[in-house]
Amino acid sequence: MPLYHSLGSIPPKRHTQFRKPDGSLYAEELVSTEGFSSLYSLVYHAYPPTIVKTLGEPYSVEPKIAREKHLKHTSLIGFNIQPEDDYLQSRKPVLVNSDLHISLAAPRQSMTDYFYKNSQADEVVFIHEGSGTLKTGFGNIKFQYGDYLVIPRGTIYQMEFDGTANRLFIVESFSPIRPPKRYRNQYGQLMEHSPYCERDIKLPANLKTYDEHGDFKILIKKQGLIYPYIYATHPFDFIGWDGFHYPWALSIHDFEPITGRLHQPPPVHQTFEGNNFVICSFVPRKFDYHPLSIPAPYNHSNVDSDEVLYYVDGDFMSRKSVVKGQITLHPGGIPHGPHPGSVEKSIGKESTDELAVMIDPFRPLMLTEDAIKIEDENYYKSWQY
C-alpha cells in the first residue's frame, strides 16, 4: 500500500549510527521490493536478522494438479474443507496458475510454536469466519469477519485466533497486490472516485519489541517448498521501522459500491490488482434505477479470462442454491449467465444484500486434488430448464 507509515523508534537519518542504551548498535535492515526500484521499509532490530542456528530439511507443499486443462463450469463447496488444528496444514490450494494460488483454510488453533514467511508471494487472507490478531514485527492488526489481510512477501507473521471456528479464503500472488491504478493519482493517493480511501485502511499498531534469545522456528515458503529455519533471536525484535512495505487490512464492509441507471460491469467492484488478475468485492447495494433496467447480470462470454466467485453471505439473484463458502469457476471460452428464471425474477427489485469475492485471472486456472474432493460434479447442468 503506497502510504508512508512508521512505528517505534528510528534515527533521524537513515543509514546512520543508532545505538542501544548500552552503546552497541541496533541492526538496520532494508526490506525492498523489485530490487531497489519499488516499495521498501527500513527496519531496526535489537539483533541482526541473520543469526541462523539450524536449517531443517525442506518439504513440499506444492499443489497437486488433478485437472490441468478443462472447459467445464465448476462449483466447489468450500465449507466441505475439513477444519484442522494447524494453520499451514489447514491451507488447501484449490485453483492455481502461474500468477496466483487460491486456497481455502479452516484452522482451529493459533500459531504458537512457529512463525511463517511466504518469501515469494504476497498473500491476501479474507476472513470469512472468525476473528483474531495478525502479529508481525511491524506491529499487530486486529481482524474480524469481512477483513482482507494484505501481507506482502517476506513478512514474518503469526495468526492468533480468538476461537476455533475460522474460515479463510486465501490468495497467494506472485506479483505485488495493490489498489487499482485507476483509483490512485500520480502520488499514490486514492482519488475521490475510489470506492475506498485511506481512512478505511487498517495499519499495524501496538509495536512490541521482543528482545529474546532462544530457538525460534520460522517456516519459510519458496518455490513450493517449506524450509524450516531455527533462528537464535525472536523475529519480532523490531525497535522501530518506517516506509511503505508492511501488512495492512481493509474490510469488505468498507467498500462503497458504485451503482448506475443500468447494470454495472464487474470492474466497478475491483478492490485489488495483481499481475494478470484482479480481486473484486460484491457488497450490498442499490440496484439499477432505469425504469426498464434488468438488475440480473447479462450472459457473458469470457474470452480472455476465467471468472471465480467466492460466495460469502446474502442472497444472489442470479444463482440457485448458493451456499456460504461456495466457489464457482466459469472458465474462459464458454458463456455463463444467470440461472433460468433469475432474469425475470430480478426485475423490480431495488437492492441486494449479497457479499462475495470475485477473482478474474487472465491465465487459465487448474484444479487441484483438494478441489476435486469438494466439487459439485453436476453444477454445469444447473442452467437446464
Side-chain angles (χ1 to χ4, degrees), residues 220-248:
I220 304 175
K221 184 177 181 180
K222 186 172 184 179
Q223 295 177 304
L225 295 176
I226 295 284
Y227 293 84
Y229 271 74
I230 304 295
Y231 278 84
T233 56
H234 199 293
F236 299 165
D237 69 340
F238 292 27
I239 300 297
W241 65 273
D242 75 333
F244 289 72
H245 181 82
Y246 53 83
W248 53 284

Side-chain angles (χ1 to χ4, degrees), residues 61-259:
V61 290
E62 202 158 10
K64 296 178 181 178
I65 305 303
R67 192 180 297 158
E68 180 180 357
K69 298 177 181 179
H70 61 98
L71 192 63
K72 176 188 175 185
H73 289 324
T74 302
S75 176
L76 309 178
I77 309 305
F79 276 22
N80 283 350
I81 292 289
Q82 295 303 303
E84 297 189 35
D85 288 341
D86 182 71
Y87 171 70
L88 288 184
Q89 291 179 8
S90 75
R91 290 167 55 134
K92 308 298 182 187
V94 290
L95 300 171
V96 301
N97 67 17
S98 59
D99 298 309
L100 76 160
H101 289 178
I102 299 172
S103 299
L104 297 168
R108 283 187 291 239
Q109 295 182 1
S110 301
M111 301 164 63
T112 55
D113 60 349
Y114 69 90
F115 304 81
Y116 175 61
K117 175 168 73 172
N118 194 327
S119 70
Q120 71 174 62
D122 286 19
E123 295 189 351
V124 178
V125 181
F126 178 78
I127 310 299
H128 192 166
E129 289 186 352
S131 62
T133 304
L134 173 67
K135 302 175 71 174
T136 76
F138 295 95
N140 298 337
I141 299 176
K142 294 281 189 182
F143 62 79
Q144 59 189 352
Y145 163 60
D147 281 345
Y148 292 103
L149 299 176
V150 183
I151 308 172
R153 69 201 60 203
T155 301
I156 299 172
Y157 72 88
Q158 287 183 320
M159 294 287 280
E160 182 178 270
F161 298 105
D162 294 331
T164 58
N166 304 292
R167 289 281 176 178
L168 313 175
F169 178 74
I170 303 171
V171 178
E172 292 178 73
S173 170
F174 302 111
S175 60
I177 290 288
R178 290 171 185 160
K181 289 184 180 66
R182 70 178 183 278
Y183 293 148
R184 293 178 281 146
N185 62 27
Q186 61 180 319
Y187 304 105
Q189 183 182 17
L190 290 165
M191 292 191 284
E192 278 291 298
H193 67 281
S194 171
Y196 59 94
C197 73
E198 286 80 4
R199 296 183 189 183
D200 301 317
I201 303 298
K202 299 181 183 181
L203 301 176
N206 302 319
L207 186 148
K208 177 181 177 181
T209 303
Y210 291 81
D211 188 341
E212 300 176 18
H213 289 82
D215 295 326
F216 299 94
K217 181 190 289 187
I218 303 177
L219 300 180
I220 304 175
K221 184 177 181 180
K222 186 172 184 179
Q223 295 177 304
L225 295 176
I226 295 284
Y227 293 84
Y229 271 74
I230 304 295
Y231 278 84
T233 56
H234 199 293
F236 299 165
D237 69 340
F238 292 27
I239 300 297
W241 65 273
D242 75 333
F244 289 72
H245 181 82
Y246 53 83
W248 53 284
L250 171 72
S251 174
I252 195 172
H253 305 298
D254 286 328
F255 185 90
E256 300 300 333
I258 298 171
T259 60

Side-chain angles (χ1 to χ4, degrees), residues 267-334:
V268 303
H269 307 287
Q270 187 180 352
T271 312
F272 308 107
E273 66 181 11
N275 185 46
N276 289 323
F277 74 94
V278 299
I279 300 177
C280 302
S281 300
F282 286 82
V283 301
R285 62 195 182 277
K286 292 287 187 182
F287 274 147
D288 327 312
Y289 46 88
H290 187 284
L292 296 179
S293 68
I294 300 176
Y298 35 72
N299 294 296
H300 179 214
S301 286
N302 296 350
V303 175
D304 293 317
S305 72
D306 288 0
E307 179 187 285
V308 174
L309 261 175
Y310 177 75
Y311 296 92
V312 179
D313 215 338
D315 296 321
F316 291 83
M317 60 174 167
S318 60
R319 287 282 173 273
K320 297 177 181 177
S321 304
V322 170
V323 295
K324 290 184 180 181
Q326 182 176 348
I327 295 175
T328 56
L329 166 63
H330 300 139
I334 50 175

